[in-house]
Amino acid sequence: MSDTKPRILRSVRLLNAAEKRIETDFIAPPPPTTPLDTAAILKLAHEFQPVAILVTHHSPLKGADVAALPESVKLIATVSVGLDHLDVPALLARGIAVSNTPDVLTDCNADLAMMLIIAACRRAAEYYTLMKKGWGHTLGMDEMLGHRVTGKTLGIIGVGRIGQAVARRARGFEMNVLYHNRRRLDPTHEQGATYYESLEDMLPKCNILSLHLPAAPSGGPIITARTLALLPRGSVLVNAARGALVDETALIDALRSGHLFSAGLDVYQNEPNPDPRILALPNVFMTPHAGSATVETRTAMCMLALDNVTALVAGKPLPTPVTA
């Protein structure tokens, strides 16, 4: 690395350990008090001429935004695994490297998915609402009953790092794991899970369905009225991946009709303002897109983004490059 510290921007305040590292190893403006949007980050980039910009979903860079980046920028380091907010081909075409933060958030995302599974099956949202109202009466033997998680059949769509981590946790609950993926895993990674090439063949066998795949850039939702109808009546849907994967009107209809017993959701089509009809449903357990929201994981994500900047400036391979 040269004697001059690299100049960087970040669109959000990072965790304390990362901010201390920036103070020591980089030249950067003070951390923003609120997340910067795209216009603000572009304006600051032209004023500050950074070699790298650390971004999140708050400041998407697409189309004309990419063209508007100053020539000084050689790396966009997103503090996320997801790339929905970046036009990666356009960035690469401009000779701007892209990095993300895979692996370090796998366990916390899988933990949250298991929380959604358990909470949706055991009516956690309804129990919490009852208790906040003061409870007030004992429950009858057949009142407000949930479903046991142990021993159920879990279907997983998408078995990348997080999907496989969810499968490992499910085995601790003696669950029968099925999965659908673009391609079958190597048998050494299946660990007893059953592969279904056809989603339509897998869905009727699932008590619980959990989504762990990226949203298709040009495709529609994978969970529609048709695919929901293939699930057994009384099943549970969990989505800790992307809101665009689910037709929310079809989901609402399935929850209202009782075809779905419940749902556990961390992501929504319209964030941070989910459909009010979903918010009003008693049989949905919801979290605010918080899969990686632990001190340990968010710190590791920030540090990995900075590691990519350090590698770029030193002329070394990026630890976690995005190549397509």
Side-chain angles (χ1 to χ4, degrees), residues 28 32 43 54 64 87 101 125 166 176 180 216 237 248 260-261 263 269 278 283 288:
K43 181 177 184 294
L54 279 64
D87 188 339
T101 59
V166 171
N176 175 36
H180 170 72
L237 175 70
E248 290 185 343
L260 284 181
F261 175 74
Q269 287 186 355
I278 296 176
N283 53 341

Side-chain angles (χ1 to χ4, degrees), residues 6-26:
R7 299 169 71 84
I8 67 170
L9 298 180
R10 70 285 212 198
S11 64
V12 296
R13 180 181 178 85
L14 305 182
L15 271 75
N16 288 340
E19 288 294 341
K20 289 179 181 178
R21 181 176 172 186
I22 289 174
E23 289 179 12
T24 301
D25 297 343
F26 302 91

Side-chain angles (χ1 to χ4, degrees), residues 109-166:
N109 274 272
D111 289 350
L112 183 119
M114 284 305 302
M115 180 181 81
L116 294 175
I117 289 170
I118 296 167
C121 287
R122 293 300 304 269
R123 301 178 75 156
E126 293 168 271
Y127 291 163
Y128 180 77
T129 299
L130 177 65
M131 295 306 298
K132 291 295 286 185
K133 290 181 177 178
W135 191 3
H137 70 280
T138 58
L139 298 177
M141 282 289 291
D142 62 349
E143 191 176 358
M144 292 191 74
L145 303 183
H147 286 293
R148 182 175 64 185
V149 173
T150 299
K152 289 295 190 292
T153 295
L154 171 66
I156 297 176
I157 305 179
V159 284
R161 300 175 183 88
I162 297 172
Q164 291 182 52
V166 171

Side-chain angles (χ1 to χ4, degrees), residues 7-269:
R7 299 169 71 84
I8 67 170
L9 298 180
R10 70 285 212 198
S11 64
V12 296
R13 180 181 178 85
L14 305 182
L15 271 75
N16 288 340
E19 288 294 341
K20 289 179 181 178
R21 181 176 172 186
I22 289 174
E23 289 179 12
T24 301
D25 297 343
F26 302 91
I27 299 173
T33 55
T34 58
L36 302 179
D37 62 15
T38 302
I41 203 72
L42 287 174
K43 181 177 184 294
L44 190 57
H46 280 275
E47 294 170 354
F48 195 74
Q49 295 291 305
V51 69
I53 305 177
L54 279 64
V55 300
T56 66
H57 67 279
H58 296 98
S59 48
L61 295 170
K62 296 187 176 183
D65 305 324
V66 174
L69 288 166
E71 292 295 328
S72 66
V73 177
K74 304 303 179 186
L75 171 66
I76 297 297
T78 182
V79 191
S80 67
V81 172
L83 300 164
D84 300 356
H85 54 297
L86 298 180
D87 188 339
V88 174
L91 287 164
L92 297 179
R94 270 206 62 183
I96 299 173
V98 179
S99 67
N100 65 345
T101 59
D103 297 322
V104 294
L105 48 65
T106 295
D107 284 330
C108 280
N109 274 272
D111 289 350
L112 183 119
M114 284 305 302
M115 180 181 81
L116 294 175
I117 289 170
I118 296 167
C121 287
R122 293 300 304 269
R123 301 178 75 156
E126 293 168 271
Y127 291 163
Y128 180 77
T129 299
L130 177 65
M131 295 306 298
K132 291 295 286 185
K133 290 181 177 178
W135 191 3
H137 70 280
T138 58
L139 298 177
M141 282 289 291
D142 62 349
E143 191 176 358
M144 292 191 74
L145 303 183
H147 286 293
R148 182 175 64 185
V149 173
T150 299
K152 289 295 190 292
T153 295
L154 171 66
I156 297 176
I157 305 179
V159 284
R161 300 175 183 88
I162 297 172
Q164 291 182 52
V166 171
R168 290 194 296 272
R169 286 154 175 75
R171 293 183 190 99
F173 287 85
E174 301 174 6
M175 300 179 81
N176 175 36
V177 179
L178 318 178
Y179 75 96
H180 170 72
N181 204 45
R182 286 182 295 176
R183 61 183 66 88
R184 183 172 183 173
L185 293 175
D186 184 281
T188 59
H189 294 140
E190 286 187 327
Q191 298 184 6
T194 302
Y195 173 63
Y196 280 82
E197 182 177 2
S198 166
L199 177 61
E200 289 75 12
D201 289 343
M202 183 183 80
L203 292 178
K205 299 176 173 62
C206 301
N207 304 123
I208 304 162
L209 181 67
S210 193
L211 310 182
H212 299 285
L213 69 163
S218 58
I222 193 170
I223 301 302
T224 63
R226 183 183 69 84
T227 51
L228 286 169
L230 293 172
L231 289 167
R233 185 173 180 82
S235 53
V236 172
L237 175 70
V238 165
N239 186 12
R242 287 290 181 267
L245 294 170
V246 177
D247 178 337
E248 290 185 343
T249 295
L251 173 64
I252 292 164
D253 290 343
L255 287 163
R256 285 174 172 171
S257 71
H259 183 72
L260 284 181
F261 175 74
S262 60
L265 304 175
D266 185 50
V267 291
Y268 313 87
Q269 287 186 355

